[in-house]
Amino acid sequence: MSGGIVRHPIVSLLLSMAVLITAGCGYHLRGTTSVPPEMKTLIVDTSDPYGPLNRAVREQLRLNNVTILDKPGIRQDVPSLRLQGETVSRDTASIFQDGKTAEYSMMMVVRAQVLVPNKGIYPIGATVYRSFFDNSQAALAKDSEQDIIVKEMRTQAVEKLVRQLLTVHVAEANPAINTLDHTPSAVDRLPADANTISDSSYKR
C-alpha cells in the first residue's frame, strides 16, 4: 500500500455533497455579504473621519469589494452612507452576595443613513449585545478586557450594518415602502448626538 491517504468511497461522497450544499446556500466568508451592485460604489460621510467607527466601516466595505469615495458632494449619482455614530451602554446583569456587581451586560448601537439619488433616505442600524464579568481585583485587566470587547462589538455591529444595505435594495425595489414615514424603532429614538459613548456607567 502506498503512503497516501485512502478515503472510503462513502466519505468522499459525503465530502462532495458538503461542498455542493455549501456553494448552493450562498456561503460567504466571515465578514462578507452580498452587497447590491448599485451599492458597490459608495460615498462615506461622517463627522468623525478619524474615529474607530469610520475605520471599521471602511474596512468592512473594502472587504466586500466596495469602492469608497472620500469627497461628499463630488458625485450626485452615487449613494451616500452617512454614519451617525455609535452608542454603548452598560447595565448590571448579576451581583455577588455582598451587593457588588459580578457581571455586566453591554449593548452597542450603530446608526447610519443611506442616501440614494432620486430615491430617498433609508435609515439603517445594528445592535450588538455582550456580557463580561467584573474583576475588582484587577482593574487594569478589566479595562483592557472591556476595550477588547467594545472593539469586537463594533466589528460585529458594522458587519450587520453592511448587511442592512440589502434592505435598502429591497426598499428601492418596492415603492410602497416609504422610509421617510416609517415608525421609529429603538435605534431611531436614540439621541441625535450619537458620536460619543453614552451611559454614565461606562467609565474608565
Side-chain angles (χ1 to χ4, degrees):
M1 179 183 296
S2 63
I5 298 176
V6 178
R7 290 193 177 93
H8 193 280
I10 295 180
V11 175
S12 298
L13 178 61
L14 291 175
L15 288 173
S16 299
M17 291 179 63
V19 171
L20 291 174
I21 292 174
T22 300
C25 291
Y27 174 78
H28 298 283
L29 294 175
R30 175 175 172 78
T32 62
T33 188
S34 297
V35 176
E38 64 271 25
M39 301 288 178
K40 283 295 186 177
T41 298
L42 282 175
I43 295 173
V44 177
D45 189 9
T46 175
S47 60
D48 187 13
Y50 302 105
L53 177 61
N54 183 49
R55 293 197 301 268
V57 168
R58 287 172 175 270
E59 180 180 350
Q60 184 64 26
L61 290 174
R62 292 190 181 102
L63 186 62
N64 285 277
N65 299 315
V66 174
T67 300
I68 302 172
L69 302 182
D70 292 322
K71 296 181 179 180
I74 195 172
R75 292 278 300 273
Q76 302 297 325
D77 59 331
V78 175
S80 296
L81 177 62
R82 288 185 178 177
L83 303 182
Q84 296 179 300
E86 67 181 37
T87 61
V88 177
S89 60
R90 189 178 75 171
D91 295 313
T92 299
S94 62
I95 60 175
F96 292 112
Q97 291 183 348
D98 60 2
K100 294 182 178 180
T101 300
E103 182 182 10
Y104 286 104
S105 175
M106 298 182 65
M107 179 180 74
M108 174 179 284
V109 178
V110 175
R111 299 190 309 160
Q113 289 181 335
V114 179
L115 282 71
V116 182
N118 303 317
K119 294 291 182 64
I121 301 174
Y122 301 85
I124 59 176
T127 305
V128 175
Y129 299 91
R130 287 286 295 272
S131 62
F132 75 99
F133 291 95
D134 183 28
N135 185 359
S136 58
Q137 303 299 320
L140 292 178
K142 180 181 69 176
D143 288 344
S144 178
E145 178 187 6
Q146 190 164 276
D147 288 341
I148 293 174
I149 290 175
V150 169
K151 185 177 180 180
E152 292 176 349
M153 292 176 68
R154 182 180 296 112
T155 298
Q156 294 175 8
V158 168
E159 289 177 1
K160 295 174 67 175
L161 190 75
V162 172
R163 285 199 292 270
Q164 289 291 310
L165 295 177
L166 286 173
T167 65
V168 174
H169 174 71
V170 172
E172 283 186 90
N174 187 353
I177 300 177
N178 186 350
T179 56
L180 298 178
D181 295 330
H182 72 294
T183 300
S185 64
V187 173
D188 299 321
R189 289 194 297 267
L190 290 173
D193 184 11
N195 292 312
T196 57
I197 293 176
S198 66
D199 192 82
S200 57
S201 61
Y202 181 66
K203 294 182 179 179
R204 304 284 177 191

